[in-house]
């Protein structure tokens, strides 16, 4: 493969530089390919899910902020700025608290669509996906 | 993935064998030299033959270094940004709900781009009305209460001073989201450091989690120090 590749290099460009570039691209594919690449700000909530035999819930910030400003959930509905810090359970949601403020069949679809939220890979820890600390400390 | 790794490994071996690999750690360079020493007495006109010589010796030291030293582990290549949920690594592809979720790129199509986070410039998107997220849960017509007040924080280091624009924040947030728990609403009462922000405190409560991350230094550090000294409250910057 290498020989073929070198043969196709235009004379104007250094084969060494090109080779190195290709090598780095491959390296990148290997390293990044193995990692989760979900959207920045996706929240995995796994306070109770695993223990209850459900997949963890994933909250996509990007999807919701197209529709609502931060204030609606973080001021009006009382969500704290902390992944896993809100002690949400299904009872509270059905009671109209937290997600249940909208996911009640009126503003948004209701709780019978379990798998739409509970769609995380089992055993994924509670996290803000792509946050700074997660990126720096591996 | 396996095939790709194999190809890359073969390539790595070839590059090391040919002795032209420069961008590597010392760990990688040492075996490269060793491999070079062997075929040195052979005629050097057949570089393609060298990889074969080097093959048995090299893969072991090369692999850990490759895993530890990606080119830039914080940068996601363009083609891999905003993958659909089924491929994003945290959604379970086997969940019946996963294929029902909207892929981010379906929604991001007409939105202004940026270089970090979701690769979307959310502030711009609201400003040019690409999106019009509700300010109230039920009433789509409720308008946000905008406070147009820039706070200039003179920073100690060499970086430009920080301008904090209330207007862009009050588009999204309520005063009570930040005041008084995260920021005491009084001049000189808040010490903020990049260390705190990196650890998710102060600005880092949002910036680095959902709002643009700290890699975008100049979005905050945006006021040159040689400009006339400002009072803590400056005239509104360019909107």
């Amino acid at each position: 493969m290498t020989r073929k590749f070198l043969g196709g290099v235009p004379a104007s460009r250094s084969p060494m530089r090109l080779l190195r570039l290709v090598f780095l691209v491959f390296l990148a594919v290997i390293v990044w390919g193995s990692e989760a690449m979900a959207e920045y700000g996706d929240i995995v909530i796994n306070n109770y899910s695993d223990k209850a035999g459900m997949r963890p819930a994933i909250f996509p910030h990007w999807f919701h902020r197209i529709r609502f400003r931060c204030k609606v959930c973080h001021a009006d509905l009382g969500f704290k700025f902390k992944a896993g810090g809100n002690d949400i359970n299904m009872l509270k949601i059905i009671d109209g608290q937290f997600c249940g403020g909208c996911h009640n069949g009126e503003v948004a679809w209701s709780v019978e669509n379990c798998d739409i939220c509970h769609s995380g890979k089992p055993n994924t820890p509670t996290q803000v996906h792509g946050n700074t600390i997660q990126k720096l400390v591996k | 993935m396996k095939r790709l790794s194999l190809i890359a490994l073969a390539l790595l071996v070839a590059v090391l064998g040919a002795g032209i690999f420069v961008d590597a750690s010392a760990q990688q360079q040492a075996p490269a030299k060793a491999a070079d020493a062997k075929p040195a007495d052979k005629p050097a006109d057949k570089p393609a033959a060298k990889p074969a010589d080097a093959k048995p010796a090299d893969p072991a030291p090369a692999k850990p270094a490759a895993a530890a030293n990606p080119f830039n582990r914080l940068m996601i290549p363009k083609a891999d940004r905003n993958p659909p949920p089924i491929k994003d690594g945290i959604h379970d592809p086997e969940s019946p709900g996963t294929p029902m979720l909207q892929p981010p790129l379906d929604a991001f199509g007409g939105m202004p781009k940026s270089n970090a986070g979701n690769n979307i410039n959310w502030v711009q998107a609201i400003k040019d009305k690409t999106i019009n997220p509700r300010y109230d849960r039920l009433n789509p017509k409720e308008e946000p209460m905008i406070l147009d007040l820039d706070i200039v924080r003179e920073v100690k280091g060499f970086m430009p001073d920080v301008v904090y624009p209330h207007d862009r924040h009050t588009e999204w947030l309520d005063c009570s989201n930040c005041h008084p728990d995260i920021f005491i609403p009084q001049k000189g009462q808040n010490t903020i450091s990049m260390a705190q922000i990196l650890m998710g405190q102060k600005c880092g409560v949002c910036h680095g989690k959902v709002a643009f991350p700290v890699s975008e230094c100049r979005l905050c550090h945006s006021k040159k120090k040689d400009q006339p000294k400002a009072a803590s409250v400056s005239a509104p910057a360019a909107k």
Side-chain angles (χ1 to χ4, degrees), chain A residues 9-39:
Chain A
V9 171
S12 58
R13 293 176 89 169
S14 148
M16 212 169 99
R17 273 183 63 191
L18 258 174
L19 241 176
R20 222 159 63 206
L21 191 78
V22 169
F23 165 71
L24 288 170
V25 168
F26 271 117
L27 211 63
V29 169
I30 297 169
V31 173
W32 285 309
S34 59
E35 273 173 29
M37 304 265 251
E39 274 309 308

Side-chain angles (χ1 to χ4, degrees), chain A residues 118-133:
Chain A
H118 290 275
S119 56
K121 280 186 180 162
N123 302 315
T124 310
T126 297
Q127 61 180 285
V128 185
H129 186 79
N131 78 69
T132 308
I133 301 171

Side-chain angles (χ1 to χ4, degrees), chain B residues 152-220:
Chain B
V152 176
R153 293 185 62 92
E154 287 164 18
V155 302
K156 286 183 190 147
F158 61 92
M159 285 293 282
D161 289 338
V162 171
V163 179
Y164 168 85
H166 269 99
D167 58 351
R168 269 152 275 181
H169 289 82
T170 46
E171 280 279 3
W172 295 96
L173 290 152
D174 190 71
C175 313
S176 69
N177 284 130
C178 305
H179 303 304
D181 285 357
I182 304 174
F183 300 105
I184 300 162
Q186 200 181 337
K187 189 188 169 188
Q189 291 301 298
N190 301 283
T191 37
I192 305 174
S193 69
M194 285 312 298
Q196 284 176 308
I197 296 171
L198 282 163
M199 295 306 287
Q201 295 169 344
K202 303 290 176 186
C203 318
V205 168
C206 300
H207 288 281
K209 290 181 187 154
V210 284
F212 67 78
V214 288
S215 56
E216 312 305 288
C217 319
R218 304 286 165 155
L219 289 184
C220 298

